[in-house]
Amino acid sequence: MASSLTCAGTVWALLSFLCAAASCVGFFMPYWLLGSQMGKPVSFGTFRRCSYPVRDESRQQTIMVEQCGRYASFQGIPSLEWKICTVVTGVGCGLLLLVALTALMGCCISELISRTIGRAAGGMQFVGGLLIGSGCALYPLGWDSEEVRQTCSNLSDQFELGTCQIGWAFYCTGGGAAAAMLLCTWLACFAGKKQKQYPY
């Protein structure tokens, strides 16, 4: 099986896949922000939440439902900043995943990744990482929403956690994006083999 990648290109393909996987897993998991409400652990992502209060009419009290899920609709996301974060981070993850899968195919298909295509893919990774980084930077602007304030003992505000803490999924998403921007973009410049010049 012929490869269109150099040795640096093979490292680039594997690292691209790891960065994309880290960013996508972190983006999907609802563990960006951790807190508690009514004595139960609560966590948030950009478009998902674990544990939420529900009014139990039979007992005439509010109870916590301990399960994870997406918000019922895009409009259900608690703040405008988190809606923007969801879109921007999702597009960035999509770009990283597209480049990573293309790079992995380059390990098996000859003449798929040239120097020019490698550099273009590196540029796409830089843009994808930048989008995800922007989403991570926007996320704390939504900490002043009512849902988050209830979870963080009514002490949270923009860029102030109150009693909450940042979860592993936030770091996983941001770390994958940073590695994609810094390492993968640089390695992509050396990923493709020089194309043979055919005389016509």
Side-chain angles (χ1 to χ4, degrees), residues 4 6 111 113-115 119 191-197:
S4 61
T6 61
E111 298 187 26
I113 308 285
S114 65
R115 286 269 167 107
R119 289 178 180 148
K193 293 179 179 174
K194 283 190 176 178
Q195 294 288 349
K196 294 173 183 168
Q197 300 296 321

Side-chain angles (χ1 to χ4, degrees), residues 32 46 84-85 88-89 130-140 170:
W32 283 41
T46 60
I84 296 169
C85 178
V88 168
T89 307
L130 200 60
L131 288 170
I132 295 170
S134 300
C136 289
L138 281 171
Y139 189 70
F170 181 85

Side-chain angles (χ1 to χ4, degrees), residues 69-185:
R70 292 187 311 268
Y71 288 100
S73 69
F74 188 72
Q75 299 306 319
I77 296 174
S79 72
L80 174 63
E81 293 85 4
W82 282 13
K83 291 174 187 171
I84 296 169
C85 178
T86 299
V87 172
V88 168
T89 307
V91 170
C93 286
L95 280 174
L96 291 190
L97 205 54
L98 175 69
V99 172
L101 294 176
T102 303
L104 288 176
M105 285 193 300
C107 293
C108 307
I109 301 171
S110 64
E111 298 187 26
L112 177 67
I113 308 285
S114 65
R115 286 269 167 107
T116 306
I117 291 174
R119 289 178 180 148
M124 286 175 66
Q125 283 179 309
F126 187 82
V127 170
L130 200 60
L131 288 170
I132 295 170
S134 300
C136 289
L138 281 171
Y139 189 70
L141 292 172
W143 293 348
D144 64 345
S145 70
E146 189 59 35
E147 278 188 45
V148 175
R149 289 182 60 77
Q150 289 171 356
T151 303
C152 302
S153 304
N154 289 317
L155 298 172
S156 68
D157 203 353
Q158 292 182 343
F159 293 98
E160 286 183 35
L161 284 168
T163 59
C164 290
Q165 57 186 356
I166 294 174
W168 65 266
F170 181 85
Y171 294 115
C172 188
T173 306
M181 279 179 66
L182 302 173
L183 293 174
C184 294
T185 300

